[in-house]
Amino acid sequence: MAPAALILLKAVFLALLYLFVFWALRSARSELGTEPRAVVAPVSTPSSSDGRPVPRSLALTDEHGATIGAVPLSGAVQVGRSPSCQIPLTDTFASSIHARLFARDGSWFVEDLGSTNGTYVNERRVTAPAEIKVGDRVRVGRTLLEVRP
């Protein structure tokens, strides 16, 4: 091969290498966020009568660990693939109307609504309405809903 062709091949390879590194850094930066984070003093969270924090929201995470979003808990909430659900999912392992979260006597509960793949709280299948607390992980299909204060 001619020396000029080898130099051109090296230059093309180097350019592709730089593009790959640029793409990887840009992807990592977008995943981590680019905004500076402020140091915030902890805020006290409302507690129930027994001193436990009261569930106020759900953090949604897909099967790859990517955060989908957060949803405040207010009133009864249905979870599933149906657009009529208050928490609509694109998870193909979730049923149309998969589960229901509701408050009763100052506590929050999750109930499976006859889904195909079941609803799990901390990896235990729910067969009747189960109480959920802050820190619990509710799995609907492949989507995780983490209970937050």
Side-chain angles (χ1 to χ4, degrees):
M1 212 177 228
L6 285 175
I7 291 173
L8 181 63
L9 189 60
K10 287 179 187 179
V12 169
F13 176 74
L14 191 58
L16 288 173
L17 182 63
Y18 277 116
L19 282 173
F20 172 75
V21 170
F22 172 74
W23 172 79
L25 289 174
R26 192 180 73 180
S27 295
R29 186 175 173 188
S30 69
E31 288 290 323
L32 296 175
T34 57
E35 298 176 12
R37 302 197 187 270
V39 177
V40 179
V43 177
S44 64
T45 57
S47 299
S48 62
S49 60
D50 60 357
R52 293 184 322 214
V54 176
R56 296 280 183 223
S57 66
L58 297 171
L60 282 66
T61 308
D62 69 10
E63 71 262 21
H64 304 295
T67 301
I68 299 171
V71 177
L73 283 173
S74 60
V77 177
Q78 287 184 333
V79 182
R81 287 193 339 251
S82 172
S84 66
C85 290
Q86 288 76 21
I87 303 177
L89 303 175
T90 57
D91 185 345
T92 57
F93 284 82
S95 296
S96 293
I97 301 176
H98 194 104
R100 176 174 80 108
L101 290 96
F102 59 95
R104 183 189 312 152
D105 301 326
S107 296
W108 278 89
F109 293 84
V110 64
E111 174 183 28
D112 185 78
L113 298 176
S115 66
T116 303
N117 293 318
T119 302
Y120 295 82
V121 174
N122 299 326
E123 297 308 317
R124 290 190 165 188
R125 190 169 187 147
V126 172
T127 56
E131 184 178 5
I132 54 174
K133 301 173 195 78
V134 170
D136 283 348
R137 299 177 73 142
V138 178
R139 185 164 51 89
V140 173
R142 290 185 173 172
T143 304
L144 283 176
L145 305 126
E146 185 174 345
V147 183
R148 300 275 173 93

